[in-house]
Amino acid sequence: MLKYLVILLDDTSTSFCHYDNRKSESRLMPIETLKGGIRFGMMENLMIQFVYPVDALPLEHLKAIETIDHGVIAPSGSPVSADVVVFNDWDTFLKFDYPDMGTFVLRTDSKQLCENPKYLESVLYQVTRLNIVLTDIETMNDEDFEKYDRFLDELRGIMKRLYLKGYQTQCNLITDRIVLDAMNNCNAGTESITLAPNGKFYICPGFYYDGLDAVGSLEDGLDIKNPQLYRLDHAPLCRICEAYHCKRCIWLNQKTTIEVNTPSHEQCVVAHMERNQARLLLNELQDRGIYDKKQEIKEISYLDPFDVKDEW
Amino acid sequence: MEAIIKSQNEQWRSGIAKGITFIVTKDCQLACKYCYLVGKNSKERMPWSIAKQTVDYILDHENDFKEESVIWDFIGGEPFLEIDLIDKICDYIKMEMFRRNHHWFNSYRFSFSTNGINYHEEKIQQFIEKNRNHLSIGITIDGTRQKHDLNRVYKNSERGSYDDVVKNIPLWQFQFPGMGTKVTISSADLPYIKESVLHLFSLGIPEVNINCVFEDVWKEGDDLIFQNQLIELADAIIDNGLYENNVCSFFQEHLGKPLDRKLQNQNWCGAGKMLAVDAAGIFYPCTRFAQYSLRDKKAWIIGNVNEGIDKNKLRGFLTLDRCTQSTKECIDCEVAEGCAWCQGENYDAADTCTAFQRSTAICKMHKARVRANNYYWNKLFRKLELEGIERERANEHVKQPQMKDIC
Ligand code: SF4
Ligand code: SF4
Ligand code: SF4
């Protein structure tokens, strides 16, 4: 069932996820479209997430936004107070003056991430939750995987130190899997849908920015073809997988395999490396009495469920 | 109705053989009226360099092609128009498999689907002689002369090709005894099913393997015409005792039963386990995914000779199962067994860019086939029973099929 409506307020609204937004020219969502989107969200009982550009919005847009309970996703340079602050570069990420509350998203390629684990530590002491989003999963090769695994190893050490000092910081790459006992994916197309500045609906913002087909419009309503294919039970690999924290990114799926329900090898390997490091972290924290011993993440021998699909 | 006379059992190493298809040319001597190759032309011929690069790529990556055997398939247009190229490719394949001590060296076959017109020509005969023990050749024929010449006419003239094809059948039968036939029927062919199958039997072809096309071509009432043709055919086969020496694949004892969701959940077609390459060196999961065979969708490209195969583009095919691509109606269907699909047609007809949406254009035709099939077996078993043959021993008196349904 749909729960969330993501509204892109401008063509230059920040990306907050795996997709890139390469649009540099502002195209503000017309006020009537914005009001129509809010009305749609209200009628369908959807929680609206507004995605902001760096530039300030006109007053009438801000007023319209305040007519509904909502969440704010904004880039780090935006003047608005955001629930989710997105960093697209390391410099700003490291120099930012972090408030007490909020979720922070760091979008980075794996190369930069793997070079900077130490810098990450200082930020992790300042926030309650950090989401790290890799922007180059689809191009990662075996060498990159090795580096990423080494990085995760270091991240595990950082998280362990934090927890032993009494911090309860969450970092999606390693702590999410520990607290999950069922799939918790992005669910674009089943739980969330995106409204673009052109008044059309898309599965996620990435589909809009890549010029892919819309799935309806404010004018004609939502029309998702083959809706079952976005559901977990119609994803042959993911439905038997237990990398529960994995985004199961629909946008990456269609980009790499053509099928929205089929992940690439790279997405699976990355998620399983994270899962395996979460397992080690859990064991270490259990040894120090921080987690209940009953909780278990099983040891597995594969990094890509595709390689063992015949056994299921 | 299009019949491809296969020289040998289609099930050769089925399941454990890799199918590699070279689309060597899009040219043909004929201009068949139903030809689906919208992009047919005389320009796109595969250059030797592309063929060689393809063979090198495949043999270089032995670990990615672990199947026990290989079928090197050559299609067109009319593949034998490129006999010089094909001969060179086959020589190179043999030489390279030997030089590399490749595990396919003793387990390969060259396969052809031809219109049969130039089958007798010297170069082709020399090629057959040279590769005789590793060959499978199918010749296309449309039932009776009248039926064949209605559709299969020469380019730039209305002259039918029946005589030119049929004259080559004895030679071909002599070279490849034990032949079977593959037939594909469309809406306009329905009234001719009975006479065409009986005609193929009379040409000495004992096994006729038939499928309805998967495309959405079926008109109101076609299922009844189909059912009645099959019942007339059943009568002719049974009343004349033809079942002793002939097989028509429309009639299969275990057809039309419900399927188990778990135990019978396999995909039907082999797309994703095969590889097709065109004249430009582009790779596809099968020829049905090349642009020239698609109506509405973009070609499904899985790589090319320079960059190799992008395995991510095959993951969907290799994880496809019956239930995930079927509607609830198909999953719960009481007569589902034997109801086939073609992944390429599914993709072409799908509402989105996916191979996970099963096209059911064939639904009413399958149901009609099941009714006629039930009639056939009830009638046959009763006849045998009256002749004193018990049901358990009936199979000893009925010729068993060698071929399976082919997409
Ligand atoms: S790891 Fe792969 S199979 Fe598992 S949920 Fe993620 S994308 Fe799906
Ligand atoms: S499909 Fe989901 S995970 Fe993927 S880019 Fe879009 S919002 Fe992010
Ligand atoms: S297409 Fe029709 S006959 Fe075939 S399985 Fe589905 S419901 Fe049954």
Side-chain angles (χ1 to χ4, degrees):
Chain A
M1 205 178 77
L2 274 187
K3 293 181 187 160
Y4 305 101
L5 175 64
V6 176
I7 296 186
L8 304 175
L9 293 165
D10 191 281
D11 263 3
T12 59
S13 287
T14 183
S15 166
F16 56 90
C17 207
H18 294 296
Y19 66 92
D20 267 334
N21 177 5
R22 292 194 200 85
K23 289 191 196 275
S24 53
E25 224 169 275
S26 167
R27 177 192 179 191
L28 189 65
M29 177 174 269
I31 186 68
E32 284 316 315
T33 308
L34 176 59
K35 287 180 177 169
I38 293 171
R39 194 166 51 238
F40 179 87
M42 286 176 165
M43 290 189 304
E44 300 295 327
N45 257 339
L46 304 176
M47 174 69 188
I48 300 182
Q49 311 278 353
F50 291 104
V51 190
Y52 281 68
V54 176
D55 297 336
L57 293 180
L59 200 57
E60 60 174 349
H61 281 66
L62 294 173
K63 273 189 185 161
I65 288 168
E66 287 311 321
T67 60
I68 178 86
D69 186 19
H70 63 271
V72 171
I73 302 174
S76 52
S78 158
V80 73
S81 147
D83 304 289
V84 178
V85 178
V86 183
F87 299 93
N88 286 295
D89 70 282
W90 276 83
D91 222 31
T92 328
F93 172 67
L94 293 174
K95 290 185 187 143
F96 197 72
D97 187 11
Y98 288 93
D100 287 343
M101 294 298 288
T103 293
F104 301 91
V105 174
L106 171 63
R107 297 183 68 251
T108 174
D109 62 33
S110 62
K111 191 168 174 289
Q112 289 190 69
L113 181 65
C114 295
E115 282 167 4
N116 293 326
K118 285 279 177 293
Y119 297 120
L120 211 54
E121 184 159 6
S122 65
V123 176
L124 285 165
Y125 276 97
Q126 301 175 61
V127 299
T128 48
R129 179 166 177 92
L130 176 65
N131 283 352
I132 300 174
V133 178
L134 291 180
T135 54
D136 62 343
I137 292 181
E138 67 272 30
T139 59
M140 286 173 76
N141 57 28
D142 287 348
E143 201 184 312
D144 299 328
F145 291 148
E146 265 177 46
K147 284 189 192 151
Y148 187 57
D149 204 24
R150 281 203 295 277
F151 157 77
L152 288 171
D153 222 42
E154 293 209 39
L155 179 62
R156 175 163 57 87
I158 295 171
M159 296 313 292
K160 189 176 159 189
R161 286 197 288 281
L162 276 160
Y163 276 68
L164 291 180
K165 286 184 189 159
Y167 289 87
Q168 290 183 341
T169 313
Q170 298 171 4
C171 177
N172 64 325
L173 301 184
I174 193 155
T175 60
D176 281 5
R177 176 61 187 82
I178 294 180
V179 294
L180 289 168
D181 57 10
M183 272 293 175
N184 182 30
N185 318 123
C186 149
N187 293 339
T190 50
E191 288 193 347
S192 73
I193 206 76
T194 293
L195 181 67
N198 63 5
K200 292 182 182 170
F201 293 113
Y202 294 84
I203 294 296
C204 103
F207 285 66
Y208 169 64
Y209 289 120
D210 279 2
L212 298 172
D213 286 345
V215 290
S217 64
L218 279 177
E219 218 171 31
D220 304 322
L222 198 55
D223 179 22
I224 303 179
K225 300 272 188 331
N226 277 325
Q228 76 283 2
L229 294 182
Y230 302 97
R231 294 201 319 250
L232 182 62
D233 64 351
H234 274 67
L237 285 174
C238 303
R239 70 185 172 209
I240 43 128
C241 174
E242 49 111 308
Y244 297 147
H245 72 294
C246 175
K247 281 263 180 75
R248 198 164 82 75
C249 175
I250 303 288
W251 172 78
L252 265 178
N253 285 358
Q254 62 77 33
K255 187 174 183 195
T256 52
T257 71
I258 302 180
E259 297 285 5
V260 293
N261 66 347
T262 308
S264 65
H265 170 69
E266 294 77 14
Q267 187 173 184
C268 291
V269 169
V270 163
H272 277 77
M273 287 180 161
E274 294 159 2
R275 177 212 176 271
N276 291 347
Q277 291 286 352
R279 178 181 164 272
L280 296 176
L281 178 60
L282 174 64
N283 291 349
E284 289 169 0
L285 295 179
Q286 282 171 332
D287 287 346
R288 306 296 288 260
I290 293 179
Y291 271 98
D292 189 338
K293 281 269 185 198
K294 270 188 257 155
Q295 210 170 324
E296 191 192 2
I297 300 175
K298 289 208 169 66
E299 184 164 14
I300 49 175
S301 59
Y302 56 87
L303 288 173
D304 181 354
F306 183 85
D307 297 337
V308 290
K309 66 182 182 342
D310 296 338
E311 291 164 25
W312 272 299
Chain B
M1 182 182 303
E2 171 190 327
I4 298 175
I5 301 163
K6 283 282 177 188
S7 62
Q8 294 180 38
N9 187 341
E10 267 294 333
Q11 272 180 305
W12 184 75
R13 311 250 153 152
S14 89
I16 50 170
K18 184 84 190 177
I20 295 167
T21 304
F22 292 84
I23 308 168
V24 283
T25 175
K26 289 185 185 157
D27 196 13
C28 183
Q29 307 99 320
L30 303 180
C32 300
K33 294 186 177 157
Y34 48 59
C35 186
Y36 71 99
L37 300 181
V38 254
K40 203 158 89 169
N41 61 61
S42 54
K43 286 181 218 108
E44 282 180 60
R45 302 167 56 208
M46 181 177 279
W48 161 243
S49 59
I50 293 288
K52 179 179 179 298
Q53 257 183 291
T54 304
V55 174
D56 287 342
Y57 171 79
I58 292 165
L59 298 182
D60 280 348
H61 292 81
E62 193 168 353
N63 274 338
D64 291 339
F65 297 89
K66 289 200 172 115
E67 290 83 353
E68 213 173 281
S69 324
V70 61
I71 298 172
W72 303 95
D73 191 20
F74 297 88
I75 65 160
E78 168 49 36
F80 281 150
L81 289 178
E82 291 297 329
I83 187 64
D84 290 334
L85 172 71
I86 287 170
D87 188 39
K88 194 170 172 183
I89 299 174
C90 292
D91 281 352
Y92 184 68
I93 288 173
K94 287 183 285 185
M95 213 175 64
E96 280 298 299
M97 288 194 303
F98 175 73
R99 190 181 67 77
R100 295 161 186 255
N101 195 19
H102 194 284
H103 73 281
W104 283 341
F105 180 65
N106 276 319
S107 202
Y108 69 94
R109 171 161 299 187
F110 299 128
S111 169
F112 297 85
S113 297
T114 165
N115 59 29
I117 291 170
N118 54 2
Y119 185 82
H120 61 284
E121 284 174 9
E122 200 182 338
K123 277 186 179 169
I124 290 155
Q125 285 301 310
Q126 280 168 356
F127 175 82
I128 290 173
E129 203 42 54
K130 188 155 100 183
N131 295 288
R132 185 81 162 255
N133 295 329
H134 292 277
L135 267 188
S136 165
I137 299 180
I139 296 180
T140 308
I141 185 170
D142 267 22
T144 60
R145 177 201 308 269
Q146 191 199 7
K147 180 71 188 56
H148 183 99
D149 285 347
L150 215 57
N151 280 314
R152 300 188 65 81
V153 293
Y154 281 92
K155 219 159 46 181
N156 309 324
S157 86
E158 283 296 298
R159 190 165 75 81
S161 58
Y162 179 86
D163 289 336
D164 296 335
V165 180
V166 167
K167 75 164 194 274
N168 280 328
I169 286 183
L171 170 64
W172 174 80
Q173 280 179 319
F174 172 73
Q175 290 172 327
F176 301 97
M179 58 191 175
T181 309
K182 187 191 164 201
V183 179
T184 311
I185 55 169
S186 194
S187 180
D189 304 313
L190 291 171
Y192 307 97
I193 290 177
K194 178 188 142 194
E195 67 174 36
S196 296
V197 173
L198 295 176
H199 181 72
L200 292 166
F201 285 165
S202 77
L203 285 176
I205 302 156
E207 190 168 329
V208 180
N209 189 13
I210 315 193
N211 291 322
C212 289
V213 298
F214 295 104
E215 285 75 8
D216 190 8
V217 297
W218 306 108
K219 302 192 190 79
E220 183 86 27
D222 273 357
D223 49 339
L224 269 189
I225 304 174
F226 183 48
Q227 171 192 299
N228 293 339
Q229 275 290 310
L230 290 191
I231 286 179
E232 282 182 34
L233 178 62
D235 286 340
I237 291 176
I238 296 171
D239 294 347
N240 298 306
L242 296 176
Y243 53 84
E244 288 176 12
N245 298 311
N246 299 277
V247 181
C248 171
S249 72
F250 268 139
F251 305 122
Q252 291 179 15
E253 203 183 335
H254 297 290
L255 192 82
K257 309 275 186 301
L259 289 172
D260 187 275
R261 280 173 186 233
K262 288 219 162 81
L263 301 173
Q264 293 168 298
N265 194 24
Q266 304 86 342
N267 195 17
W268 182 278
C269 104
K273 295 177 184 148
M274 306 178 290
L275 174 68
V277 56
D278 71 7
I282 295 171
F283 293 160
Y284 308 93
C286 104
T287 52
R288 187 66 178 78
F289 289 86
Q291 199 61 65
Y292 76 121
S293 10
L294 291 164
R295 296 181 302 274
D296 293 328
K297 293 279 183 348
K298 273 203 316 211
W300 190 304
I301 294 171
I302 59 166
N304 59 60
V305 281
N306 297 316
E307 291 154 58
I309 295 174
D310 175 355
K311 290 182 191 164
N312 279 332
K313 299 282 190 306
L314 291 173
R315 280 164 78 94
F317 295 106
L318 298 176
T319 53
L320 256 172
D321 58 59
R322 180 176 66 88
C323 291
T324 307
Q325 62 189 301
S326 301
T327 58
K328 189 162 179 334
E329 190 189 349
C330 289
I331 294 171
D332 296 337
C333 175
E334 291 291 326
V335 295
E337 186 154 11
C339 185
W341 60 86
C342 157
Q343 225 64 60
E345 172 56 21
N346 287 1
Y347 170 60
D348 211 0
D351 295 328
T352 58
C353 205
T354 183
F356 277 79
Q357 185 190 346
R358 177 171 165 188
S359 159
T360 54
I362 209 167
C363 184
K364 65 178 181 183
M365 305 307 282
H366 177 72
K367 286 174 177 162
R369 177 189 174 194
V370 169
R371 290 192 294 272
N373 186 57
N374 292 342
Y375 172 89
Y376 177 90
W377 291 102
N378 280 314
K379 177 166 175 154
L380 179 59
F381 284 138
R382 183 62 177 160
K383 182 185 180 203
L384 294 173
E385 197 181 8
L386 292 175
E387 288 170 2
I389 298 162
E390 287 166 20
R391 205 175 171 126
E392 295 73 52
R393 295 190 43 240
N395 280 341
E396 294 167 25
H397 299 265
V398 176
K399 184 172 162 59
Q400 299 300 307
Q402 302 299 309
M403 302 158 69
K404 63 168 194 160
D405 284 354
I406 313 154
C407 66

